[in-house]
Amino acid sequence: MNEYKICTRCIMDTSDPLIYFDKNGVCNHCHKYDRNVKSFGYKGKETDIERDRLIKKIKEYGKGREYDCILGISGGVDSAYLAYLAYKYHLRVLAIHVDAGWNSEIAVSNIQKMCKSLNMDLHTIVINWSAMKELQRAYMFSGLPNLDVPQDHVFVAAVYEYAKKYNIRYMLNGSNLATEGILPTAWGYSSVDFKCMKSVYRKCGRGKRIFNKYPHFGLLKYFYFQKRIERVNLLNYVPYSKKEAIETLEKEFDWKYYGGKHYESRFTKFFQSYYLPEKFGYDKQRAHLSSLVVGGEMTRDQALKEMADTSGYTEAQMLEDKEYILKKLDISEQQWNEIMKSPNKTEMDYANNQRWVRFLSNTKRKLHDKNRI
């Protein structure tokens, strides 16, 4: 067994099997973050000019059309603050919320408050629950770490389809360096690989026909969307602070914080906080907090203290969510115990398009970098 090590700058540790450290004990994630910030981070007036040009380009394309851009809104911090920025910059936004069956009451309330206050058109897409249930259930039996693939895939597919329907070229995206600057590749696999999803369902599902009711895309369609629709990470064009964003949202819109990264989804909250640490030995909160540390949002000591604090999601709350999720997915306690004891797997245990996914991701990143530079 390898010796346990933790970064001397952030709090990433050897729970990431691909992590490595320099002579000062600083991890590769910190160095990658520094490179990304140097190329794409907020640089004051220089970035302000760049952002103004981008906003102008989006508005010019939107002339004569119903909307300038589209935004997927979840009720979380990033998408809510993104909606606020879009309003601030006078962009005409079509807000899309995809209900995959796991919304918390706080998330729904936040979405309604934001869109009403900002006078923003909102389309809510409710995914067929029988299809969503069967695919989500199959992933529970798959032995894979990323149980959010069924949600993540359908979110992107639905928003892309609406962008196509309304002839919208620009998609505002909540991805950002400030709160997501660190995320190990070993801790998850892309949700765009529909071939892998089908393989998981064939091996672990109950055989019902579901994909005619589940919005999805293959790689060719994804590539088409990537060429036609430009994703804009607007939060990287402002001095984004999670703490200040929360304060603004609470003050201006009576928005409520739900307790953690992606905790607006009841399923995501449980699988990230319990399933991953117990079955795979890592906690994604470590990466989320590390992002805030390297971004100057909190100190390393504060992050370590928060990692040790379980009051935000108690054992009683976990058990309550577990009972709710298992019942909703028709999984017995005995089956759950078998899931937790079964061998851990990776996407290589299923048919996949990993080589092409990596190629498309690298190509998209290079094109984005070239455009941003």
Side-chain angles (χ1 to χ4, degrees), residues 75-82 84 106 110 114 179 235 239-262 264 292 297-298 306:
V77 181
D78 297 338
S79 64
Y81 194 74
L82 193 58
Y84 166 71
I106 293 177
N110 283 341
M114 293 298 301
T179 65
L235 296 180
Y240 183 52
S241 162
K242 180 179 179 181
K243 180 180 179 181
E244 292 177 5
I246 291 174
E247 290 174 353
T248 298
L249 295 172
E250 289 176 339
K251 179 181 178 181
E252 299 293 333
F253 308 102
D254 191 31
W255 179 94
K256 303 295 183 185
Y257 187 48
Y258 40 84
K261 186 75 172 176
H262 301 310
E264 64 270 29
L292 298 178
E297 189 84 9
M298 63 168 51
E306 189 161 334

Side-chain angles (χ1 to χ4, degrees), residues 303-321:
L304 288 171
K305 185 177 180 180
E306 189 161 334
M307 280 295 299
D309 183 8
T310 60
S311 62
Y313 193 31
T314 65
E315 183 178 357
Q317 291 171 325
M318 283 187 186
L319 291 175
E320 182 181 344
D321 282 346

Side-chain angles (χ1 to χ4, degrees), residues 133-141 206 329-330 335:
K133 172 184 176 179
E134 292 302 318
L135 187 56
Q136 190 78 75
R137 188 180 188 278
Y139 264 82
M140 293 285 280
F141 287 95
R206 295 194 282 194
L329 293 178
D330 190 22
Q335 288 173 318

